[in-house]
Amino acid sequence: MSEAAGTRPKKQDFENTLDMSDRTVAAFEGNEKNALDRLQHFLHGNPTMVPVIVLLVSVIAFGFVAGSNFFSAFNLSLIMQQVSIIGILAAAQSLVILTAGIDLSVGAIMVLMSVVTGNLAVSMGVPAPLAVGAGMAGGTLAGMMNGLLVTRFKLPPFIVTLGTWNIFFALTLWLSGAQSIRSQDIDATAPLLKFFGQSFRIGGAQFTYGSILMVLIFAVLWYMLNRTAWGRHVYAIGDDKEAAELSGIRTNRTLLSVYALAGLVCGIAAWASIGRVGSVSPQSFQEANLQSITAVVIGGISLFGGRGSIIGPLIGALIVGVFNSGLRLAGVDVLWQVFAIGWLTIIAVGIDQWIRKLSS
């Protein structure tokens, strides 16, 4: 009796142990990730890989569709020239979007500052370096205006920049009288304004100084966002502003600096745009705001803030350039080029939403 009574609990304990072991194995197998889950985790940790893959696939696809001319050194370098201004504006836009905001006025700031720079240098005889400096300072002030309205008055960035877009556009027409400054006048009085439109050759490729400027701006911003405390604060604010405040980050000061820096980049873009167009036109780059947002979204920076690499919008701008160039060489109408970019943007947002599910 005592021996039987003593062996029964031991057998029951052993069976319970086996049962728990089976449940543990089953739970482990249930938690094992499939290929799609692993891909989702990989892209969540490396958001820039999405636009890189899209760019590579696009280049290969259009190489077959558009023919050998697409792969020529001249055509590939021409793509960089064509996206240089939108790329610089996308860099400015990225800074704001990383903080979970948006700036609808970047294009308007750029055009306004190009008019200011052109009028000072050509119409008023101000030395070109001072005129360029005034354009950059004006861009910085315009960005600070956006930042103050967002931080001090707690207004939504979308509404603020939509309003300032109209203000800057009206000021552009008022200062210019809706008249362009001709290329001949710039050449005669202030040729420095067209510096970034000058080109140089490397083999069969032809680059402008504007395209080099675009790459340099992205390199500087990458360093600031990834190697400085300021950059970590920008990401923290975009991820969770309240948590950033509780951790001791001065969020309003950082946000104001972000908008001011975005405005400065727009001021630099104003100088580069004069070289790109060859003149100062108040009607130029009418779609620059939306195009900059498109490059940012396709480049993998989340519209909800706090996630993405500053290099992504550079790749996003190149993707747009590749699509436009490839479809044009393939003989596709401009209407359908815009149609394709629209779908590409929607798909990019959908991928971002899918990747963000990991953090929700």
Side-chain angles (χ1 to χ4, degrees):
M1 288 290 294
S2 61
E3 184 178 352
T7 58
R8 184 177 297 274
K10 292 180 180 179
K11 181 179 180 182
Q12 192 173 29
D13 289 343
F14 179 73
E15 291 174 351
N16 288 340
T17 301
L18 288 177
D19 184 58
M20 290 178 63
S21 176
D22 291 339
R23 284 198 298 253
T24 302
V25 172
F28 176 79
E29 292 175 350
N31 291 330
E32 187 177 0
K33 297 180 179 64
N34 57 35
L36 192 61
D37 291 332
R38 288 195 295 270
L39 175 63
Q40 188 181 23
H41 276 78
F42 173 75
L43 295 179
H44 185 270
N46 303 273
T48 310
M49 287 306 300
V50 176
V52 167
I53 293 171
V54 173
L55 179 61
L56 292 176
V57 172
S58 302
V59 169
I60 294 172
F62 284 119
F64 285 107
V65 173
S68 58
N69 288 336
F70 180 82
F71 285 118
S72 68
F74 177 79
N75 183 63
L76 294 177
S77 61
L78 182 61
I79 292 174
M80 284 197 66
Q81 295 180 37
Q82 292 171 340
V83 305
S84 58
I85 304 303
I86 299 303
I88 295 173
L89 289 181
Q93 187 72 255
S94 300
L95 294 171
V96 179
I97 290 180
L98 280 173
T99 64
I102 196 166
D103 192 343
L104 300 179
S105 67
V106 290
I109 293 175
M110 179 189 71
V111 177
L112 174 59
M113 291 308 119
S114 69
V115 169
V116 168
T117 302
N119 280 344
L120 287 174
V122 178
S123 303
M124 301 177 64
V126 174
L130 292 180
V132 169
M136 293 182 187
T140 304
L141 290 174
M144 288 184 67
M145 176 181 172
N146 287 335
L148 285 171
L149 291 171
V150 170
T151 57
R152 297 296 175 86
F153 295 93
K154 309 299 181 183
L155 299 177
F158 181 89
I159 301 301
V160 166
T161 57
L162 179 62
T164 55
W165 175 87
N166 287 281
I167 293 172
F168 298 146
F169 180 70
L171 287 175
T172 299
L173 295 180
W174 175 66
L175 289 174
S176 65
Q179 299 296 317
S180 299
I181 299 177
R182 299 181 306 169
S183 177
Q184 300 92 315
D185 296 332
I186 297 175
D187 290 334
T189 57
L192 178 66
L193 300 188
K194 297 172 67 173
F195 171 76
F196 287 111
Q198 298 176 16
S199 61
F200 61 93
R201 286 186 173 274
I202 300 178
Q206 181 172 317
F207 298 95
T208 62
Y209 292 112
S211 58
I212 303 302
L213 173 67
M214 174 184 67
V215 175
L216 288 176
I217 288 175
F218 276 101
V220 170
L221 293 180
W222 179 89
Y223 179 85
M224 294 177 66
L225 288 168
N226 291 276
R227 294 292 185 266
T228 67
W230 177 85
R232 291 190 291 273
H233 294 171
V234 170
Y235 276 100
I237 291 171
D239 189 50
D240 191 330
K241 184 181 177 183
E242 293 182 358
E245 289 177 345
L246 292 174
S247 66
I249 296 174
R250 304 180 70 172
T251 56
N252 283 345
R253 174 179 289 187
T254 303
L255 280 174
L256 184 60
S257 68
V258 165
Y259 280 93
L261 180 58
L264 173 60
V265 174
C266 291
I268 297 173
W271 182 16
S273 70
I274 297 174
R276 175 64 188 158
V277 177
S279 62
V280 178
S281 173
Q283 304 294 338
S284 60
F285 298 100
Q286 291 295 311
E287 298 180 354
N289 295 323
L290 295 179
Q291 290 174 344
S292 68
I293 296 172
T294 298
V296 172
V297 172
I298 294 175
I301 289 186
S302 174
L303 286 174
F304 299 95
R307 193 182 68 84
S309 170
I310 189 65
I311 301 301
L314 173 60
I315 301 172
L318 292 174
I319 291 172
V320 174
V322 165
F323 264 72
N324 288 335
S325 176
L327 292 173
R328 184 177 63 254
L329 289 175
V332 178
D333 189 86
V334 175
L335 172 66
W336 297 111
Q337 296 177 29
V338 178
F339 180 86
I341 297 299
W343 275 112
L344 188 62
T345 305
I346 293 173
I347 292 171
V349 173
I351 292 175
D352 174 63
Q353 291 281 66
W354 175 63
I355 293 174
R356 282 182 64 87
K357 288 181 181 179
L358 285 177
S359 59
S360 62

